[in-house]
Each structure stands twice: as C-alpha cells, then as structure tokens.
C-alpha cells in the first residue's frame, strides 16, 4: 500500500529513502501491505546489498546484518521511553497463540514482556453507557493484556485512560481485533478482542475504556472518473483515475475501455491503483470510464458516456543534442557546464539527463537542469576525459539520445606545505631536534629539499633530504634568542617558515677539575688535572690554593698531547699560578686528564685533609677571555701518625689509618667533661681506607683512638 520512513509522509513506492544517518543514530522504515488471503506466513527471508559508492566492497557497507522477528504490533513506548520513533512488540519465543514476549525499542534495546489474559470489567459497553472500567493485575514492567472486547465489536474504541488520567497511545498501544489467528494455518476464531500494552508499576491498575458513538451504515455509492486525455497521443500513454466516497473509503476500481466506438470491456478490474499505461494501435480511438466500489460494498453505476477519449496518432522522437564540446581546466578547478537536450515533439516531452560511460568518480549531473559539476583535485591531471551524456524523454515508449563532451584537465603545481614551527627552548649542551614535516599535495609526489634561509647559528644543521633540524648549543651560546628561517622546495615552488630558538644559559663555558690522592707523610703523590671543554680553547689559567701546610714541591707532569706549554709557579707559600697553552695547530678541546699535579710531603706532617682549590679560572677563546667556568677542587688525604675519620651524608663514614693498627670507634650523645663514651665498633686496618657502616640512630658524636 505504501512505504514510510518515520517523520516522512507515506508514499506509494517500495523505495524507502532513509537520507543521511549520523553515527549512533536510528531511523525506522516500514512497508504496509494488504493481502486478499487470510492465513499464516511460515517462512521468512531477507537479504541486503549496499549499492552506494562502496558497491562491491561489502567490508565497507553500512548495513552489517539483518535479523527477522515476528511482529505482533507496531507500538510506541511513551513517557520515560519516548523518542518519537515507533517500537516493536514481537513474538520471539514461538507459541500457538502468537503471544508477544519482547519489546524492541527503536534504539535497539530490548525489554521482556509479561502476558495477562484475564481482567475484571465492571460491565459491558453499550450505546447508552460507552465508558467501562477494566482492572488489570500484573507484576512490574511491560505488560501485554488480551481480553474479550467489552463492546463485543458493537462500538468503535476511542480512548483508553490510565489510573493517573494519562492516555494510552491509541492505535499504537491499544487496539481491537475481530478474529484470533491460530498456528498451523487453521481457520481463525471470529471473536472480538481488546489489546493493550503498557508499562505497569506492579499490582492492580484500573483503566478507563471509552468507546465512540456507533457510525451510521454506509449505503451511498462512491463516485469516480477517468482524468481527461490529450486529443492526440502516442501508442503508449498514461491513463489516470480517481474517486471519492462519503463513507469509509474506496476499496477498488474497475476501469473499462472502448475501441473505435465499440463496446466497453474490462481493462483493469478490482484494482487499487489510480494510474496505468495503456498500449494502443496507431490510427485508433480509445474511450475510458471507471466504476468504484467502496469498503461497504456499494458499487457505483456505470456511466452512459466515456470520461476521457484520445486517438493514437503521434510518434515519439528522441531528444536532440548540439555539437560535442571540449572544456579545459587546471587541477583544483571546478568543472561546471550545461549539456541540455531538446525534445522535438510538440508538445515537448519531459527530458531527464544522466552520465554514461567515461564519467570520472565524483562527477555529478542534475537530471533536469542538465548541469554537470565536477570538483577536480590533485592527481586528476594531466588527463583527458571523454564523458557520455544520455538524455531520455518521458514519452511512451521513451526515447534516448547520446552526446559526448571532452574534459581536459591540465597539471598544476602546488607549492609544498610546511607547518608552522612553534618557538623552541633548549639548554646549553642539550640536543634540539625538530622534524619539519614538509609535504607536497602534487600527484605524483615530488622530491622535497630543505635549506636554511640566511645564516644559521654555529653548530646548527638541517638535513636537506629528511628535513630534520638539529642543534646542540655549546656552553657559550646561552643566553640568546635566535631567529631562524628554513624553506622547503619541490624544485618549482618554495615555502619558507621562520621560527625562534631560545637558548638557556645552563652550562659553564668549560670545567677545570682536580682529583684526589692518599699519601703517608714523607711520601710523594699526584693529583689529576681534568679539563672538560667543548670549545677550541687556546689556553687555560688558574690560581691553585692549598688549605694546609705539609705539602711541598708542586710540579706538572704527564701533559696531554694537545698541550704545547705549561707553567706552574708559586705566588705565595700556599698559592700557585697554573697556565696551560695549546700547542701549534692544537686546541684545548678535551674531556679528560690534561696533566698531573705532582707533590711531596713533610716526614713529620700532621694528618690532614688538604684542599687544593682552583680560583680565578679563565680560558682563552680567540680574542675572548672566558670567565664563566665551573671549577671542582681536589684534595690530598695526608696520613701522619694519627688516623682520620670522615662522616658522610648517608650516616656512613670512612676511616683512614695505618695498616696493621687496631682502632676503637666510640660514640656519645653529648659533649661535656662528664661525657660517657660507648664503644661502637673495633676496626683492624688491613689497608689505608676502611668504609664504615651506618652509625646508630640519633644525633651522636664520634671519636677514634688506637686500641691499647
């Protein structure tokens, strides 16, 4: 009878246009059929095929599966479940009474349905009393009620009200039937039943069932007519008819035809159609009239004169095009032209147009205006496209004509793309690495090359092939703000981008570090002099200050190969001047030992930790004197007669002493003349250095003395 997509009007077609469905959305379509046979469907099948732009590629289809359910009634879950779309009361668990057991909501959710087959009615519905109360007892949830119709089919159901006064959706969730079907295809039981679906809170619910006044019997016949036809027609022409009925509506039509004034004979019998195509013969005259029958069985009297007459004398001719044309565009431009065909018949037929062989993907044609549009893009050209244009008229039989248009798409180069580059921040001696990620939209893809525009900071590189920018600022390049510019080219066009790199001043220009040595009084030793420089220094100088007497005869030895000359001279009793100069063609770019500081000790020197502190450290880089340096002092652990004890931050310690001597380590919580010293541990030295474990918890004082 019709096809409907929720929210659209009914249309007499099997095609359901769902339009565009956004993600995670639902649309409902339904097809309405009427059968002249009464029975039971015993087998169902359904298939689907995606015919859109991904036709032939099922993995890209929008529809994934089809499920079949036996629907008892189309309903609407209202109140808290309402979404304006129809829902489905179905019988998933088959039974002989076709009782529903599940409610499918339009969003795909399901709910179980309980069945109630009995209710208490306060009395029959009559013409004098058209309102009755039906009391239903059930559990909580969706409930389907099927009980005898209180009016026994004598009155038409009008409304059903819930206990709270709200109305059950009429025609959807409440309806009546005049027969009950039985499984197995057996004859139905003719009985009047009342049906209701509602969401019940559980317990007892009273419904008010209201009936309408009886409708007077329909005894008036309907009226119908065949629409006028053109005086002259082609061999095939469309005949249309219509009718009206003052009662409950028209059931069907009989359409009859007379040829050359002969008797009227049946052409369409008992049809619900309102149009049809008639095929006649050239030179003959045809007359038509119609007779309608309404739903009450009243039949219209046949007219004495025809409603419409026409003569077959016209021959349909195909539409005609002009001469073929050629359009030339560049890649990225919109192709737009009109290729309309003209129908030579009078009156002219309607003409529709479509694309035929050779139409590229994305080319569209309006069937009525004949306007062709095609947005070209990169990769479309260079190429020539010969496109077939087909025009078809609506004559009977329809005729077609074909024309061709040539579209020439020229190649056009697009400048490569280079995304914006955010401001960068990097610390001295840290590597900054950026991928410029240039791209080219031309097809085929072109080879890209990268370069600096203008000068680049010292040490900065740009890979011309990969577009990777790298820069590890040296210790002298911060603090600074550096404005750079880079470009990418495809060999034809170039795109440039400027960006900024801020270098934080986090590193010293270089580092001078002195090592550590352990010697016994009267012996000689050496401390390493370490230089860590990433710069091409020409010379390094410093003042070395000793913190304790007992060390003498300081001298330099084991110079690195890059050192050309070295000076170490005393300035005072405990201060020396140090200068290291690079050799010819060499620089002091080194990370390691550059020299050794040798020394002697007095035989009777007291035990001590002797600090060697470098001060006034300077470096020479060309004509520039560098003073932003890092210096690390060294020390000499001088062991005379007494041992040395060193406490570390992790509560452990180091004991320095003479091998073979046993020492006692004692603790006290406070210092006073009355302090009580407690033995913590006893150590026998097997080497000049012994590592001590963690001292007891709490604040303590330590002392060391030889064992008696």
């Amino acid at each position: 009878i019709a096809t409907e997509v929720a929210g659209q009007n009914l249309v007499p077609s099997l095609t359901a246009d769902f339009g565009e469905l956004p993600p995670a959305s639902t649309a409902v379509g339904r097809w309405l059929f009427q059968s002249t046979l009464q029975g039971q469907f015993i087998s169902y099948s359904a298939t689907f095929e995606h015919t859109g732009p991904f036709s032939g590629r099922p993995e890209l289809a929008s529809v994934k599966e089809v499920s079949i359910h036996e629907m008892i009634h189309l309903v609407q879950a209202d109140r808290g479940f309402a979404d304006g779309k129809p829902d489905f009361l179905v019988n998933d668990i088959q039974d002989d009474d076709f009782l529903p057991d599940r409610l499918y909501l339009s969003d795909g959710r399901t709910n179980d349905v309980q069945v109630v087959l009995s209710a208490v009615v306060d009395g029959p519905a009559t013409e004098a009393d058209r309102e009755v109360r039906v009391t239903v007892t059930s559990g909580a949830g969706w409930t389907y009620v099927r009980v005898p119709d209180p009016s026994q089919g004598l009155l038409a159901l009008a409304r059903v009200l819930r206990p709270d006064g709200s109305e059950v959706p009429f025609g959807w969730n409440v309806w009546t039937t005049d027969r009950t079907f039985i499984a197995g295809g057996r004859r139905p039981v003719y009985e009047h039943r009342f049906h209701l679906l509602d969401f019940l809170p559980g317990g007892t619910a009273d419904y008010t069932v209201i009936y309408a006044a009886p409708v007077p019997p329909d005894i008036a016949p309907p009226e119908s007519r065949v629409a006028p036809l053109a005086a002259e027609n082609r061999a095939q022409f469309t005949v249309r008819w219509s009718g009206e009925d003052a009662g409950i509506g028209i059931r069907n039509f009989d359409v009859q035809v007379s040829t050359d004034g002969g008797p009227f004979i049946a052409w369409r019998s008992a049809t619900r159609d309102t149009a049809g195509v008639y095929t006649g013969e050239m030179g003959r005259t045809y007359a038509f009239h119609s007779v309608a029958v309404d739903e009450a069985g009243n039949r219209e009297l046949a007219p004495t004169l025809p409603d419409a007459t026409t003569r077959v004398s016209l021959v349909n001719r195909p539409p005609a095009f002009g001469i073929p044309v050629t359009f030339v565009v560049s890649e990225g431009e919109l192709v737009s032209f009109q290729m309309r065909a003209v129908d030579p018949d009078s009156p002219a037929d309607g003409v529709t147009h479509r694309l035929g062989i050779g139409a590229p993907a994305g080319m569209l044609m309006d069937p009525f205006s004949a306007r062709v549009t095609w947005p070209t893009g990169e990769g479309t050209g260079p190429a020539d496209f010969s496109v077939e244009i087909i025009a078809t008229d609506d004559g009977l039989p329809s005729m077609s004509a074909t024309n061709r248009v040539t579209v020439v798409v020229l190649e056009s180069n697009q400048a490569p793309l280079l995304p914006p580059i955010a401001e960068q921040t990097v610390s001295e001696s840290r590597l900054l690495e950026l991928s410029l990620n240039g791209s080219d939209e031309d097809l085929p893809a072109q080879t890209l090359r990268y370069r600096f525009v203008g000068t680049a900071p010292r040490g900065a590189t740009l890979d011309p092939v990969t577009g990777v920018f790298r820069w590890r600022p040296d210790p002298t390049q911060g603090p600074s703000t550096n404005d750079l510019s880079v470009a990418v080219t495809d060999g034809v066009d170039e795109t440039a981008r400027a960006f900024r790199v801020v270098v934080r001043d986090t590193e010293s220009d270089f580092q001078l570090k002195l090592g550590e040595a352990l010697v016994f009084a009267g012996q000689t030793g050496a401390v390493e002099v370490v230089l860590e420089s990433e710069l091409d220094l020409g010379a390094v100088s410093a003042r070395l200050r000793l913190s304790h007497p007992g060390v003498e005869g300081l001298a330099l030895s084991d110079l690195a190969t890059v050192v050309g000359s070295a000076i170490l001279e005393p300035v005072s009793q405990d201060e020396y001047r140090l200068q290291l100069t690079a050799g010819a063609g060499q620089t002091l770019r080194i990370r390691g030992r550059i020299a050794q500081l040798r020394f002697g000790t007095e035989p009777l020197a007291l035990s001590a930790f002797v600090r060697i502190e470098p001060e006034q450290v300077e470096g020479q880089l060309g004509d520039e004197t560098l003073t932003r340096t890092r210096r690390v002092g060294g020390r000499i652990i001088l062991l005379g007669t007494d041992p040395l004890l060193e406490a570390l931050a992790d509560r452990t310690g180091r004991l320095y002493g003479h091998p073979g001597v046993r020492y006692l380590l004692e603790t006290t919580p406070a210092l006073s003349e009355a302090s009580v010293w407690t033995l913590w541990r006893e150590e026998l030295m097997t080497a000049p250095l012994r590592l001590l474990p963690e001292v007891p918890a709490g604040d303590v004082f330590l002392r060391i003395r030889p064992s008696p």
Side-chain angles (χ1 to χ4, degrees):
I1 298 174
T3 299
E4 176 198 48
V5 175
Q8 300 181 6
N9 294 327
L10 293 169
V11 293
S13 168
L14 285 174
T15 300
D17 184 0
F18 282 86
E20 181 175 341
L21 295 183
S25 64
T26 302
V28 178
R30 61 171 177 161
W31 289 262
L32 287 76
F33 293 90
Q34 185 179 45
S35 173
T36 59
L37 299 176
Q38 180 172 265
Q40 175 189 359
F41 289 103
I42 61 174
S43 177
Y44 306 89
S45 66
T47 60
F48 67 90
E49 180 181 2
H50 192 110
T51 59
F54 303 122
S55 181
R57 300 188 63 185
E59 73 276 8
L60 299 179
S62 300
V63 183
K64 296 302 180 187
E65 65 175 341
V66 171
S67 300
I68 297 177
H69 308 270
E70 184 177 79
M71 187 169 70
I72 301 303
H73 207 264
L74 198 66
V75 297
Q76 279 193 343
D78 60 346
R79 295 186 288 187
F81 299 88
D83 61 2
K85 298 175 183 178
D87 307 288
F88 312 95
L89 182 64
V90 305
N91 180 26
D92 273 350
I93 303 174
Q94 299 300 310
D95 61 87
D96 289 350
D97 294 322
F98 302 108
L99 295 174
D101 47 56
R102 188 157 296 151
L103 174 65
Y104 280 80
L105 300 178
S106 58
D107 61 7
R109 292 180 296 163
T110 62
N111 290 265
D112 291 335
V113 175
Q114 55 187 330
V115 176
V116 174
L117 299 179
S118 63
V120 178
V121 182
D122 66 354
T126 64
E127 186 174 348
D129 183 7
R130 300 196 305 271
E131 185 173 311
V132 299
R133 176 173 296 177
V134 177
T135 302
V136 177
T137 302
S138 74
W142 285 103
T143 304
Y144 166 74
V145 179
R146 188 175 82 181
V147 295
D149 180 8
S151 80
Q152 288 300 307
L154 299 177
L155 299 175
L157 185 63
R159 301 172 63 198
V160 175
L161 303 180
R162 298 186 179 98
D164 61 3
S166 62
E167 186 168 350
V168 180
F170 182 73
W172 293 88
N173 294 15
V174 60
W175 67 98
T176 58
T177 56
D178 62 358
R179 68 200 69 187
T180 301
F181 289 94
I182 305 173
R186 292 173 288 173
R187 289 182 179 274
V189 176
Y190 288 90
E191 57 185 1
H192 294 278
R193 293 287 183 178
F194 171 84
H195 306 261
L196 179 141
L197 175 73
D198 202 12
F199 188 86
L200 300 182
T204 299
D206 293 330
Y207 290 89
T208 302
V209 180
I210 303 171
Y211 290 86
V215 179
D218 182 6
I219 59 174
E223 296 180 357
S224 68
R225 69 203 56 81
V226 176
L229 294 168
E232 303 290 329
N233 257 309
R234 301 187 183 97
Q236 288 185 318
F237 55 92
T238 300
V239 181
R240 294 180 173 84
W241 56 92
S242 61
E244 300 88 26
D245 182 61
I248 58 177
I250 293 178
R251 179 187 300 169
N252 53 48
F253 299 90
D254 291 336
V255 183
Q256 297 181 326
V257 61
S258 167
T259 303
D260 294 334
F264 280 89
I265 61 175
W267 173 47
R268 296 290 176 90
S269 298
T271 180
R272 298 183 67 92
D273 295 335
T274 57
V277 175
Y278 188 85
T279 301
E281 297 179 7
M282 186 63 65
R284 294 204 161 188
T285 301
Y286 298 92
F288 298 87
H289 69 225
S290 63
V291 175
V293 179
D294 66 15
E295 294 290 354
N298 300 308
R299 183 178 181 84
E300 177 187 14
L301 295 176
T304 57
L305 297 175
D307 294 330
T309 303
T310 188
R311 177 179 174 79
V312 177
S313 60
L314 302 179
V315 176
N316 188 31
R317 290 176 293 172
F321 283 102
I323 61 174
V325 293
T326 299
F327 298 92
V328 180
V329 297
S330 296
E331 286 180 331
E333 294 181 352
L334 176 67
V335 175
S336 179
F337 62 87
Q338 202 168 19
M339 185 62 64
R340 185 194 294 272
V342 177
D343 189 80
D345 296 323
S346 181
D349 298 318
V351 179
T352 57
H353 304 75
R354 62 184 175 89
L355 298 171
I357 299 173
M363 179 175 282
L364 301 175
M365 185 173 198
D366 186 283
F368 303 106
S369 68
R371 170 68 61 183
V372 175
T373 56
W374 180 36
T376 64
E378 187 55 50
T380 306
D384 296 350
F385 299 89
S386 179
V387 182
E388 184 180 66
I389 309 293
I390 302 172
T392 303
D393 65 18
D394 60 4
L396 295 174
S398 64
M399 303 292 287
S400 297
T402 301
N403 195 11
R404 283 195 172 273
V405 62
T406 301
V407 179
V408 179
V409 182
L410 304 177
E411 172 73 20
S412 62
N413 187 68
Q414 300 186 68
L417 302 177
L418 193 58
I421 307 171
E423 180 178 296
Q424 305 293 316
T425 301
V426 64
S427 300
E428 290 175 329
S429 301
R430 298 288 183 179
L431 176 64
L432 173 63
E433 185 172 283
L434 296 174
S435 181
L436 300 187
N437 295 322
S439 61
D440 186 44
E441 294 187 347
D442 289 308
L443 294 176
Q446 297 169 286
T447 301
L448 301 181
R449 289 291 183 267
Y450 300 85
R451 69 178 183 91
F452 283 115
V453 178
T455 59
R458 181 177 70 250
T461 64
L462 178 61
D463 191 302
V465 176
T466 65
V468 175
F469 168 84
R470 294 184 179 89
W471 186 26
R472 190 189 299 273
D474 65 43
T476 67
Q477 290 179 297
S480 64
T481 299
N482 305 267
D483 291 318
L484 296 84
S485 183
V486 293
V488 60
T489 179
D490 60 8
V492 179
D493 295 303
E494 185 175 81
T495 301
R497 287 285 185 189
F499 67 103
R500 175 170 291 178
V501 179
V502 177
V503 181
R504 292 197 298 255
D505 185 10
T506 58
E507 297 285 334
S508 56
D509 295 339
F510 63 90
Q511 175 177 276
L512 184 65
K513 178 180 179 182
L514 300 178
E516 181 179 275
L518 188 154
V519 296
F520 291 99
Q523 295 182 350
T524 62
V527 172
E528 284 191 342
V529 180
V530 176
L531 179 65
E532 294 185 358
S533 172
E534 298 290 341
L535 306 177
D536 294 324
L537 298 177
V540 172
S541 62
R543 292 289 183 102
L544 303 182
R545 183 182 298 276
L546 299 177
S547 65
H548 194 276
V551 176
E552 58 187 11
L554 270 66
L556 293 174
S557 66
D558 297 330
L559 299 175
T561 57
V562 296
V563 179
S565 62
I567 297 175
L568 182 65
E569 57 184 11
V571 178
S572 64
Q573 182 180 359
D574 58 355
E575 187 176 353
Y576 292 80
R577 183 176 76 87
L578 169 69
Q579 180 167 325
L580 302 171
T581 304
Q586 301 283 345
T587 67
L588 301 184
R589 179 189 286 269
I590 184 174
R591 296 183 66 87
R593 190 183 71 183
I594 193 171
Q596 279 199 337
L597 183 63
R598 304 196 66 81
F599 60 88
T601 59
E602 297 176 358
L604 301 178
L606 298 176
S607 298
F609 293 104
V610 182
R611 301 290 304 174
I612 309 175
E613 297 292 344
E615 300 176 351
Q616 301 179 21
V617 179
E618 295 181 350
Q620 200 67 34
L621 181 65
D623 297 332
E624 182 182 1
T625 299
L626 306 180
T627 60
R628 195 168 56 85
T629 65
R630 183 183 179 196
R631 54 189 186 275
V632 179
R635 71 174 181 175
I636 300 170
I637 303 167
L638 178 59
L639 278 175
T641 304
D642 298 326
L644 292 173
L645 183 62
E646 182 178 22
L648 304 179
D650 60 357
R651 298 182 66 85
T652 63
R654 293 175 182 169
L655 173 62
Y656 301 92
H658 291 268
V661 179
R662 187 182 301 275
Y663 296 98
L664 301 179
L665 283 84
E666 299 172 329
T667 65
T668 185
L671 286 179
S672 69
E673 294 181 358
S675 294
V676 176
W677 290 90
T678 302
L679 178 64
W680 172 42
R681 61 190 303 113
E682 184 176 343
E683 296 287 347
L684 174 63
M685 300 297 290
T686 58
L689 171 62
R690 171 65 62 87
L691 299 178
L692 301 177
E694 185 176 343
V695 299
D699 294 334
V700 296
F701 293 90
L702 289 163
R703 77 177 181 184
I704 182 173
R705 61 188 179 87
S707 176

